[in-house]
Amino acid sequence: MELLQSIDFWIGLLKIVWIDIILSGDNAVVIALAVRSLPLRQQRKAVFLGAGAAVVLRIGLTVVAVKLLELSYLQIVGGLLLLWIGAQLLSEEEGEDGEVKGTGTLMAAVRTILVADFIMSMDNVIAVAAAAKGDMVLLIMGLAISIPLVIFGSTLMIKLMERFPIIVMVGAGLIGWIGGETIVGDVTLKGVLAGAPWLHYGAAAAGAAFVIGLGQMLQKRHNKAEQTSS
């Protein structure tokens, strides 16, 4: 009870919630892209499972994030994986009316959400850990509060993607942008980046362009193969 009555505790909790609000945008985009191929009845279940599991993952990741960021080539591998995920999400099969066909699986969507969130969260959780100052109760409460924020953002994003399909491409481009940033953020490239800071934005833009280009190419190839088989 003394902990809950502490002013520092509530200030720390507000900091964590605010950080989560700021950083939840990209997670909402990933979740929305990952579940859009599911049948409508499974979308809400996937959003809840994906958001909840991602928050649990972040709690565990917070403990080891600093050490992980010191490992050579980890962010390069993670960034490349993120580029592939973005391209795959963009290439989801679409019907004639522009809607994505419900051919995905629930567990595949949750797995995609977890992998993407793991890669994108390595830098983010450091900010959360700093706000928590080692207080695990504060950390868990703050991240738990972020679950409804991510769920609301994902649900809203799904509806926007259905109404404005261009948002799908923008969302995939955002994943590519983060993938490019992740690659150049690797510890082995710090010396290169220090001498040419513009490479940070160049790599991010290249990542976005790569995801959009590859995603569209895969989508056209899939549609062409389906037309040939039919």
Side-chain angles (χ1 to χ4, degrees):
M1 289 298 294
E2 292 182 5
L3 181 66
L4 295 178
Q5 292 174 355
S6 169
I7 295 178
D8 290 338
F9 176 87
W10 291 109
I11 291 175
L13 183 61
L14 287 174
K15 286 180 181 177
I16 291 175
V17 172
W18 181 245
I19 290 170
D20 284 326
I21 291 173
I22 295 173
L23 301 179
S24 290
D26 50 5
N27 299 90
V29 170
V30 169
I31 292 174
L33 284 171
V35 307
R36 73 189 183 101
S37 62
L38 291 175
L40 187 61
R41 65 182 180 276
Q42 291 187 357
Q43 284 187 358
R44 182 171 296 180
K45 189 174 182 180
V47 169
F48 274 89
L49 285 174
V55 170
V56 173
L57 176 66
R58 284 192 177 200
I59 293 173
L61 186 59
T62 301
V63 181
V64 296
V66 176
K67 293 296 181 183
L68 285 176
L69 290 174
E70 293 176 354
L71 296 178
S72 300
Y73 307 112
L74 177 65
Q75 288 188 258
I76 293 177
V77 174
L80 291 173
L81 183 58
L82 205 55
L83 295 180
W84 177 248
I85 289 174
Q88 286 293 309
L89 292 176
L90 181 59
S91 68
E92 293 286 355
E93 182 183 358
E94 293 187 359
E96 294 179 357
D97 55 358
E99 293 184 356
V100 178
K101 295 180 181 179
T103 57
T105 64
L106 177 64
M107 293 313 298
V110 173
R111 184 170 61 249
T112 299
I113 292 167
L114 285 177
V115 172
D117 190 79
F118 174 83
I119 298 168
M120 294 190 301
S121 296
M122 286 191 290
D123 287 323
N124 297 353
V125 293
I126 292 177
V128 174
K133 297 179 180 179
D135 189 333
M136 287 303 296
V137 174
L138 183 58
L139 174 65
I140 293 172
M141 283 188 63
L143 290 175
I145 291 173
S146 73
I147 294 178
L149 297 175
V150 175
I151 291 174
F152 172 77
S154 304
T155 304
L156 177 62
M157 194 62 64
I158 292 170
K159 294 184 181 299
L160 288 174
M161 286 179 178
E162 291 174 352
R163 187 169 182 179
F164 306 105
I166 188 65
I167 295 178
V168 174
M169 186 178 297
V170 174
L174 174 62
I175 296 175
W177 181 279
I178 297 172
E181 286 184 324
T182 301
I183 291 172
V184 296
D186 191 86
V187 64
T188 59
L189 299 177
K190 281 188 176 180
V192 177
L193 197 62
W198 59 269
L199 282 175
H200 175 88
Y201 297 103
F210 175 82
V211 165
I212 292 173
L214 180 60
Q216 289 184 322
M217 185 184 73
L218 291 173
Q219 188 180 81
K220 289 178 181 178
R221 181 181 296 179
H222 181 85
N223 293 338
K224 187 176 181 180
E226 192 172 65
Q227 289 173 0
T228 303
S229 62
S230 59

